[in-house]
């Protein structure tokens, strides 16, 4: 089978996903097009150089609807001969897009792809597209549906993570992200977003709060306690599924959960011949890409299950991985990963994560893959694994190896 390589990975800064965020003025189609142009220009590609553009995008409605990937191609400097397809695997959409691109290259279906993702959460609110999993009562009853925040609190309760442990992880994420930004660890991948006149709109992740400490987080109220204990009473639904818990301990809040963000990401994936044609040196090869379905109520345990599956399929042990990126959707997600694998946290999210920098849903998977690759190069390590939890109970993981 043909080897698939990563030749480049870029992303916009992550902007605050609110109306006062710096990227609020930039529509999703333009953010995505900027990422495509950055890949094209940095690698001196012809406009027709790739087979397809695959972009993750979660809330596919309004200005993010109607196959945003194709719209982004037409907005960009790529030729109109390049098609585009939008992918929705919720929070792992961008990583799934990259994995799909790698699989196409491995199968001989084209020499190169640009894959990644986009989400403008300030302009297209999360959940505004609806969905049967929450809206169809027969499906919601069958799956014991609860919102993700309740799921995160279920994990904390079931596996014994306290509010202090969750807050401590959040403080550490902020410190690591602030240090990484100061030391320029993101500089290889992040490009500035500029307006039509060339004026910089945003050139750094704007949500990092270096001053975050246990005291400031301790003052925050649990975000999901009311919806759990009062109307609509999701705790009661959870306890029907997990009666052994007796009660749900609500430990998550805005400070130890991922921030709402805007952003776009893009990864250039190709075979050996593509690199030789454009004089490009591959940075990493794909060792394994996999996905899995998990319990839809607790919902966010996918990183554990899919990591086990990926390692087994690759014939590898947990100790063979030098660095991990586990998306910080909620603090308990990462704590459960660490607990299950007894992971050395000096190897997990070493530059912080979505708690500190935000989680632009459709883009994050490729963001953390690029961060992983940059850090492997910085530390001169060889093998890394990126994984995300996913709504409705799924997981995606990708193992890469430097070349």
């Amino acid at each position: 089978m043909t080897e698939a390589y990563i030749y480049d990975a870029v992303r916009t800064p992550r902007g605050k996903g609110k109306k006062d965020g710096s990227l609020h003025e930039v529509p999703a189609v333009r953010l995505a097009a900027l990422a495509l142009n950055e890949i094209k220009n940095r690698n001196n590609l012809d406009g027709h150089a790739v087979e397809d553009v695959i972009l993750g995008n979660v809330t596919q409605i309004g200005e993010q609807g109607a196959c945003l990937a194709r719209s982004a191609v037409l907005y960009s400097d790529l030729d109109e001969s390049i098609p585009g397809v939008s992918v929705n695997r919720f929070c792992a959409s961008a990583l799934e897009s990259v994995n799909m691109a790698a699989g196409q290259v491995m199968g001989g279906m084209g020499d190169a792809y640009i894959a990644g993702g986009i989400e403008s959460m300030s302009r297209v609110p999360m959940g505004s597209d609806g969905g049967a999993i929450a809206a169809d009562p027969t499906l919601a009853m069958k799956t014991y549906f609860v919102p993700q925040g309740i799921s995160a609190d279920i994990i904390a309760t079931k596996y014994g993570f306290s509010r202090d442990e969750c807050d401590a992880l959040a403080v550490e994420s902020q410190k690591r992200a602030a240090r990484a930004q100061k030391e320029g660890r993101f500089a290889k991948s992040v490009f500035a977003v500029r307006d039509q006149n060339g004026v910089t709109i945003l050139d750094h992740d704007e949500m990092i709060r270096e001053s975050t400490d246990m005291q400031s987080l301790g003052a925050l109220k649990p975000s999901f306690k009311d919806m759990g204990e009062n109307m609509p009473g999701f705790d009661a639904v959870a306890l029907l599924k997990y009666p052994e818990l007796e009660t749900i301990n609500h430990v998550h809040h805005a400070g130890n959960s991922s921030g709402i963000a805007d952003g776009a990401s893009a990864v250039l994936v190709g075979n050996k011949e593509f690199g030789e044609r454009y004089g490009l040196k591959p940075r990493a090869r794909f060792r394994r890409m996999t996905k899995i379905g998990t319990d839809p109520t607790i919902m966010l345990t996918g990183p554990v299950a899919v990591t086990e599956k990926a390692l087994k399929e690759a014939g590898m042990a947990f100790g063979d991985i030098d660095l991990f990126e586990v998306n910080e959707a909620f603090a308990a997600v990462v704590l459960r990963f660490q607990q299950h694998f007894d992971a050395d946290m000096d190897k997990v999210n070493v530059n912080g994560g979505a708690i500190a920098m935000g989680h632009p849903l459709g883009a994050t998977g490729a963001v953390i893959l690029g961060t992983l690759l940059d850090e492997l190069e910085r530390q001169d390590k060889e093998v890394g694994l990126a994984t995300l939890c996913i709504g409705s109970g799924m997981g995606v993981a990708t193992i890469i190896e430097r070349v």
Side-chain angles (χ1 to χ4, degrees), residues 8-267:
D8 201 5
V10 304
R11 68 174 178 90
T12 68
R14 280 170 277 196
K16 182 180 179 182
K18 303 288 185 180
K19 290 184 178 180
D20 59 347
S22 296
L23 296 181
H24 175 65
E25 66 183 88
V26 188
V29 66
R30 184 164 186 268
L31 274 182
L34 290 173
L36 299 181
N37 287 345
E38 188 71 10
I39 286 286
K40 177 182 181 295
N41 296 334
R42 279 177 35 146
N43 297 281
N44 297 312
L45 301 181
D46 296 324
H48 58 272
V50 298
E51 183 76 17
D52 200 358
V53 168
I54 309 174
L55 294 181
N57 176 222
V58 175
T59 310
Q60 297 185 19
I61 194 171
E63 64 188 40
Q64 285 189 169
C67 192
L68 180 59
R70 174 57 175 168
S71 297
V73 169
L74 296 175
Y75 201 115
S76 76
D77 297 331
L78 297 176
D79 288 355
E80 65 179 21
S81 62
I82 306 301
V85 60
S86 294
V87 172
N88 186 359
R89 201 186 286 278
F90 297 137
C91 296
S93 296
L95 190 59
E96 184 63 39
S97 297
V98 175
N99 291 349
M100 290 173 65
Q104 295 274 46
V105 171
M106 290 176 176
M109 303 297 289
D111 290 341
Y113 288 72
I114 300 175
I118 169 65
E119 204 79 29
S120 178
M121 300 180 75
S122 70
R123 297 175 65 92
V124 185
M126 176 173 56
S128 57
D129 54 340
I133 190 65
D136 185 328
T138 56
L139 178 59
M141 291 174 65
K142 179 181 179 181
T143 59
Y144 295 89
F145 170 81
V146 298
Q148 283 194 10
I150 301 291
S151 297
D153 287 338
I154 295 172
I155 293 175
T157 305
K158 183 177 178 65
Y159 295 104
F161 306 130
S162 68
R163 167 74 180 256
D164 281 350
E165 288 176 299
C166 291
D167 285 357
L169 185 139
V171 171
E172 183 64 19
S173 179
Q174 293 283 357
K175 290 180 178 178
R176 291 182 179 193
R179 179 188 63 203
Q181 191 170 75
K182 286 181 178 179
E183 294 180 359
R185 296 187 188 183
F186 303 133
K188 194 168 188 176
S189 295
V190 174
F191 65 92
V193 175
R194 295 183 171 87
D195 66 15
Q196 290 84 346
N197 298 314
V199 177
T200 297
I201 298 173
L202 186 65
D203 62 3
H204 64 281
D205 295 311
E206 72 173 337
M207 298 172 67
I208 299 172
R209 301 179 300 277
E210 186 178 5
S211 62
T212 299
D213 56 24
M214 294 294 288
Q215 289 70 34
S216 62
L217 294 186
L220 299 176
K221 294 182 178 180
S223 296
F224 311 105
K225 184 179 177 69
D226 286 344
M227 72 169 64
E229 296 181 353
N230 303 314
M231 290 298 293
F234 284 111
D235 282 7
V237 177
L239 294 174
L240 287 173
K241 182 76 172 284
Y242 313 107
E244 71 276 12
L245 299 182
E246 296 185 0
T247 188
I248 305 299
N249 185 22
H250 293 285
V251 299
H252 289 92
H253 51 75
N256 60 26
S257 307
S258 56
I260 294 172
D262 300 337
S265 56
V267 178

